[in-house]
Each structure stands twice: as C-alpha cells, then as structure tokens.
C-alpha cells in the first residue's frame, strides 16, 4: 500500500531500474500499479533495447496507437523468430515486384501496374482485391516511391510516371532512353537512375529534366538525404570507378566517393538513409554496410556478411537496432541486430526448385511482407506471443 502511494515521479525513478520481466510481474500487484506500469512512458527506455518496437533511437514513435508494452512482447517474437507464415497473394508470371507500406495501405507493383491493397495494421490482414490500380507504363514497373500526395514510378520503358494519390491526375516524365532501375522522391524533388548510365533530377512541378548527370555506369540505386542537400547513387561497379557517390544537389558535383575496395561487378542494389549521417547499402558483394557520413573521409564503420554468399537485393531498418535483408536465393529473409556481427534469424520463404530472390521487403511493428517472383509472403509476429510475465 505504501509503495502504491508514492509520488509518481518517485515511482518512475524506481521503475526505470527494472527490466521488462520485473515490470510485468509488478503490474499484477494491484489495479493502480497495473495502470501505472502499462503507461508508455514506463516502457519507452526498455523498448529502445528491443528489435522493431517502432521506437527509434532519436525518440520517434512510429506506431503511437499500439501500447509499448504490447510491442515489447511482440519484439520478443522478432528476436526469437516466432511467427505465423502466409502467402496473401500469388500470380502466375514471374515478375520483379516492388512494394511499399503506407499506414493501412500496401502498394505492390505487378508487371506494368501498381496495385493498392487495404492492409489492417492491427491484424495484418490484406484484402485480396486492390482498391486502386495505377497504370500507364508500356513495360514493367522497376521501382516506385511514395510521398504524401504522389506515387512516382519508373519503368522498363524509360518513363517516369507521377500519379496523384488524391485525384486521377498523372504526369509523364520523359528523358531516359533505357529502363529506370531506381528512383527516390522527397519534398517535391525526384532523383532517378537508369541503365542508360545517367542520373537525372526532376521536380514534381515540371515534366522536363532539371539536371542530367553522366554516370559512366549503370545506376542500380539512389537515395536522397533527409536534409535534401545531397543524394547518393549506387552503380553496377563494372567500370574502374567507386560504385557509391555522394552528389551535392545544388552544385551537381560529386563531393565524395564511398569505398575504394569494391571488386568488379559488386554493384549496389539497395540503400537507405537512417539519418542524415547514417547510410546503409547492400548489393552483389553479399555485404550490408553502414557508412558514417560525418567522418572525414567518410567511411564504412560496420558491415555484416551474408553467410551463404548470396547477393542482397534489399534492406530495411527500424531506426533502432534491427536490419532486415532479402537474399538472391530461395527467398531468404534475414534479421540482423546491429549490435551483433552474426545473423540473428533467417526465414526461407520459397520451397520452389527454381529459387527466387526477395526483390523487396517492408515491415511494421508486427508484420513483415516480402515480394518474390511469383508471390507476396507475410510473417505475422503476433502469433503465439511469448509470455514475459
């Protein structure tokens, strides 16, 4: 009784010294303690130590509608690899699909179209019929990006299409003469890369190319910095050049080249900024690399190697400790803890004799979706939750 009557600031100080199991046991003492312990503020510090709770190191909370205590329980399943597998969508023709999650909508490219499916964040349920289809390419969609108001896609026809998400309006950007392998968009700015060995800069307000940058190699990946002052290109590494270059957007100059020891053909297939100074990359050389852009010279500070010598087609991070990667064989998805050098968990999604890469993966606090050549796979980590009482 005396403990429950302590001032709240004293209680918070005491609870900050407890681990998650002790907190769960304490919550069973009485109703007042139960409601107090279940507050998000009590779990915020602990949540940052777990994989994929949605609480990032800078304090951003991506899933404020889910209690942190519940997310910590689910995070135990991510760590232990406990999940329920499903295949929500299948198609007959082999494709190179790409996907994005945006709230309760999942966008998936299938051949020349991008289909939008309702996706329940609380249950992970995906409706089998799309409620919206974005079309217009004469070839397959290679990559697409989302903003709050637009969907921007690049296709094998060399075109970039800008679709409004709020109306039926669309705009075509023409300039590349070969397939658009990659693109990124932030705050009205679009950067694209192509097999035609150029990177191009566009704006949402004009259909004309703003700038053209000769790359002298095929461009496989691009990413715009969160500061909007620069962008990074990843090439096929088939020429005697570094495959990773940082470009100043205003001056259109290469301000830095990352890495000088890439072997020939070690192209960079995917990259993601986790902060203005942290960049993750992966590709044909089987490594995930973390680059620190604050250092002079900028260099790789950590790396993780795919243990089966498979190319890595895609990566995603949770902004805290977790990295998820998709491999080139048998639909293998791996989880990595940035604090550990070895793979934490892996899942082989494909059992077909002819293996398929994981072309793209995305995750929420409780579900992971992976796009393979003929199917979309899901992992539900709410299944059989691990008790932490």
């Amino acid at each position: 009784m005396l403990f429950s009557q302590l001032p709240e600031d004293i209680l918070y100080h005491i609870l900050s010294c407890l681990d998650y199991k002790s907190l769960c046991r304490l919550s069973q003492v009485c109703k007042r303690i139960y409601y107090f312990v279940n507050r998000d503020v009590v779990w915020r510090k602990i949540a940052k130590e777990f994989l994929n709770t949605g609480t990032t190191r800078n304090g951003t909370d991506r899933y404020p509608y889910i209690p942190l205590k519940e997310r910590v329980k689910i995070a135990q399943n991510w760590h232990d690899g406990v999940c329920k597998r499903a295949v929500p969508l299948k198609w007959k023709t082999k494709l190179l699909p790409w996907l994005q999650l945006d709230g309760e909508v999942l966008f998936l490219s299938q051949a020349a179209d991008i289909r939008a499916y309702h996706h329940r964040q609380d249950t992970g349920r995906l409706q089998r019929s799309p409620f919206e289809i974005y079309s217009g390419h004469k070839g397959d969609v290679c990559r697409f990006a989302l903003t709050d108001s637009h969907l921007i896609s690049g296709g094998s026809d060399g075109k970039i299409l800008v679709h409004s998400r709020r109306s039926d309006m669309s705009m075509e950007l023409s300039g590349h003469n070969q397939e658009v392998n990659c693109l990124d968009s932030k705050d009205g700015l679009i950067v694209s890369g192509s097999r035609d060995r150029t990177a191009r800069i566009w704006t949402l307000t004009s259909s004309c190319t703003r700038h053209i940058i000769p790359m002298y190699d095929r461009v496989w990946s691009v990413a715009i910095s969160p500061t909007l002052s620069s962008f990074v290109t990843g090439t096929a590494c088939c020429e005697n050049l570094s495959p990773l270059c940082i470009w100043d957007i205003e001056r259109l100059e290469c301000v830095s080249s990352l890495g000088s020891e890439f072997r020939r053909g070690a192209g960079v297939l995917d990259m993601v900024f986790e902060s203005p100074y942290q960049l993750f990359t992966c590709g044909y050389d089987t490594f995930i690399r973390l680059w620190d852009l604050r250092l002079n010279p900028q260099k790789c500070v950590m790396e993780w190697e795919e243990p089966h010598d498979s190319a890595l087609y895609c990566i995603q991070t949770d902004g805290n400790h977790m990295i998820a990667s998709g491999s080139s064989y048998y639909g293998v998805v791996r989880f990595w803890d940035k604090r550990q050098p070895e793979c934490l968990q892996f899942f082989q999604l494909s059992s077909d004799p002819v293996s398929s890469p994981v072309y793209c993966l995305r995750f929420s606090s409780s579900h992971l979706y992976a796009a393979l050549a003929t199917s979309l796979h899901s992992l539900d980590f709410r299944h059989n939750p691990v008790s932490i009482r």
Side-chain angles (χ1 to χ4, degrees), residues 135-177:
S135 58
H137 284 286
K138 296 179 181 178
D140 289 356
V141 173
C142 299
R143 292 285 177 95
F144 65 91
L146 293 176
T147 70
D148 291 339
S149 56
H150 292 87
L151 184 153
I152 305 104
S153 60
S156 60
D157 56 2
K159 308 293 184 184
I160 296 174
L161 297 181
V162 180
H163 299 276
S164 172
R165 295 178 59 182
R166 299 169 182 169
S167 68
D168 295 330
M169 299 292 293
S170 63
M171 178 173 64
E172 181 181 299
L173 309 180
S174 300
H176 290 293
N177 54 38

Side-chain angles (χ1 to χ4, degrees), residues 256-259 291-301:
S256 181
S257 295
L258 303 180
W291 305 85
D292 192 328
L293 306 185
R294 295 170 297 183
L295 302 178
N296 189 15
Q298 298 156 334
K299 64 180 183 179
C300 175
V301 292

Side-chain angles (χ1 to χ4, degrees), residues 8 38-39 101 117 140 143 150 165 218 230 247 252 279 338 365 387:
E8 288 195 353
N38 279 2
R39 295 179 182 178
L101 279 177
Y117 299 85
D140 289 356
R143 292 285 177 95
H150 292 87
R165 295 178 59 182
R218 292 168 292 173
S230 62
W247 302 84
L252 296 179
L279 176 72
K338 298 172 189 174
S365 66
S387 174

Side-chain angles (χ1 to χ4, degrees), residues 26-58:
L26 182 63
S27 69
Q28 300 176 65
V29 171
C30 66
K31 287 185 177 181
R32 183 175 185 272
I33 295 295
Y34 173 82
Y35 290 116
F36 188 86
V37 170
N38 279 2
R39 295 179 182 178
D40 276 3
V41 67
V42 175
W43 290 88
R44 190 160 288 126
K45 179 181 177 181
I46 293 176
K48 291 183 181 180
E49 298 301 315
F50 281 80
L51 294 180
N52 195 32
T53 58
T55 301
T56 61
R57 283 171 291 177
N58 62 9

Side-chain angles (χ1 to χ4, degrees), residues 51-54 63 65-66 71 74-75 77-78 82-86 88 99 101 103 106 119-126 316 318 322 324 333 335 347 361-370 376-383:
L51 294 180
N52 195 32
T53 58
Y63 312 107
Y65 51 88
I66 305 176
R71 281 185 266 167
I74 295 172
N77 286 346
W78 285 89
V82 178
C83 64
K84 180 180 179 180
R85 305 189 188 195
L99 65 91
L101 279 177
L106 182 144
H119 157 262
R120 288 282 302 274
Q121 294 192 68
D122 54 348
T123 65
R125 183 177 179 182
L126 186 72
Q316 190 73 13
D318 68 345
M322 177 180 153
V333 170
F335 295 161
F347 303 87
L361 57 80
R362 292 290 184 266
F363 54 77
S364 63
S365 66
S366 58
H367 291 78
L368 180 141
Y369 293 93
L376 176 71
H377 294 250
S378 71
L379 303 178
D380 180 357
F381 290 90
R382 297 175 301 108
H383 180 65

Side-chain angles (χ1 to χ4, degrees), residues 288 312 314-316 323-327 332-336 358 361:
I288 300 171
L312 296 174
C314 55
I315 51 173
Q316 190 73 13
I323 310 170
S325 64
S327 301
V332 171
V333 170
R334 294 188 186 274
F335 295 161
W336 311 80
V358 177
L361 57 80

Side-chain angles (χ1 to χ4, degrees), residues 142-363:
C142 299
R143 292 285 177 95
F144 65 91
L146 293 176
T147 70
D148 291 339
S149 56
H150 292 87
L151 184 153
I152 305 104
S153 60
S156 60
D157 56 2
K159 308 293 184 184
I160 296 174
L161 297 181
V162 180
H163 299 276
S164 172
R165 295 178 59 182
R166 299 169 182 169
S167 68
D168 295 330
M169 299 292 293
S170 63
M171 178 173 64
E172 181 181 299
L173 309 180
S174 300
H176 290 293
N177 54 38
Q178 293 188 47
E179 61 194 60
V180 181
N181 294 318
C182 53
L183 56 81
D184 194 14
S185 180
K186 286 183 176 67
D187 199 28
L189 184 71
I190 303 171
V191 176
S192 62
S194 171
R195 184 181 284 270
D196 66 8
R197 302 188 173 200
T198 67
R200 294 175 183 251
I201 301 176
W202 321 71
T203 61
L204 288 175
T205 57
S206 173
S207 60
C208 298
T209 305
R210 179 178 163 187
H211 298 293
I212 304 173
I213 302 176
M215 296 297 301
Y216 310 107
D217 204 348
R218 292 168 292 173
V219 185
W220 288 132
S221 55
V222 297
I224 301 173
S225 168
T227 63
L228 302 177
S229 61
S230 62
F231 66 93
V232 184
T233 56
T235 64
C237 200
C238 291
E239 304 297 331
N240 191 24
L241 301 167
S242 171
L244 281 167
C245 293
I246 302 177
W247 302 84
D248 184 280
I249 288 179
E250 293 299 325
R251 293 180 291 159
L252 296 179
E253 295 178 355
C254 178
V255 295
S256 181
S257 295
L258 303 180
S260 58
E261 299 180 356
F262 284 85
R263 66 178 184 267
R264 183 179 177 85
V268 179
L269 295 177
D270 198 14
M271 61 177 70
V272 58
F273 273 100
E274 191 167 84
S275 72
Y277 54 85
Q278 288 185 311
L279 176 72
F280 285 87
T281 64
C282 70
Y284 281 119
D285 67 349
T286 77
F287 280 91
I288 300 171
R289 290 186 171 89
L290 169 60
W291 305 85
D292 192 328
L293 306 185
R294 295 170 297 183
L295 302 178
N296 189 15
Q298 298 156 334
K299 64 180 183 179
C300 175
V301 292
M302 293 185 70
E303 59 183 28
W304 299 265
E305 184 177 10
E306 214 287 335
H308 290 165
D309 199 33
S310 299
L312 296 174
Y313 272 56
C314 55
I315 51 173
Q316 190 73 13
T317 75
D318 68 345
N320 192 22
H321 299 301
M322 177 180 153
I323 310 170
S325 64
S327 301
S328 57
Y329 294 116
Y330 301 108
V332 171
V333 170
R334 294 188 186 274
F335 295 161
W336 311 80
D337 189 327
K338 298 172 189 174
R339 300 162 293 185
Q340 301 177 16
E342 305 297 330
C343 169
L344 184 66
Q345 295 289 344
F346 84 96
F347 303 87
Q348 182 178 327
L349 303 181
S350 174
S351 58
D352 296 337
V354 180
S355 64
S356 166
V358 177
Y359 289 109
C360 186
L361 57 80
R362 292 290 184 266
F363 54 77

